[in-house]
Amino acid sequence: MRRTISLISVVVLLSCVLVGCGTAPDHENMNTNNEPIQNEVKAKEDFEAVILAKDQSTITIALTTSGHAEQQYILVTSGINYHAEVGDEVRVWTTGMYEESNPIQGKATKVERVK
């Protein structure tokens, strides 16, 4: 009888330890709509860049720091008016939300030609 009680105590204790070792679900990165999860990647809401490519709904830009092109972005520009062409330096305003990809993708809210 004593042996049975000891065995049951050990099983209950081990069960409690094992249940406590589980990991909690990461609710911050879950998306119930099966849409791409938006993350802030270098959350720059406005910055200067050079336009590398342009079409009717997007522009591809490269950040400029000390005259050197760094990170590239593809930004959706549908719904905003701007007058800039490939090679122009521009100031870009974005939503600050980016998809993790290479190049990084996001949405421009304003594009203004600097030079």
Side-chain angles (χ1 to χ4, degrees), residues 11-67:
V11 169
V12 169
L13 180 62
L14 286 176
S15 297
C16 290
V17 170
L18 292 176
V19 168
C21 291
T23 59
D26 187 5
H27 294 289
E28 289 181 18
N29 289 323
M30 288 186 173
N31 188 336
T32 58
N33 298 333
N34 291 330
E35 296 173 0
I37 295 174
Q38 300 281 318
N39 292 313
E40 291 190 33
V41 178
K42 275 192 175 179
K44 293 181 178 283
E45 293 183 13
D46 67 308
F47 48 86
E48 289 190 13
V50 174
I51 297 178
L52 302 177
K54 173 184 168 182
D55 63 30
Q56 291 196 352
S57 62
T58 64
I59 57 173
T60 301
I61 60 170
L63 292 181
T64 54
T65 305
S66 304

Side-chain angles (χ1 to χ4, degrees), residues 54-59 74-80 82 106-108:
K54 173 184 168 182
D55 63 30
Q56 291 196 352
S57 62
T58 64
I59 57 173
I74 296 176
L75 300 174
V76 174
T77 56
S78 56
I80 62 171
Y82 67 96
K107 181 170 175 41

Side-chain angles (χ1 to χ4, degrees), residues 83-96:
H83 302 289
E85 298 299 324
V86 173
D88 288 347
E89 283 191 39
V90 292
R91 175 164 289 279
V92 179
W93 287 261
T94 70
T95 61

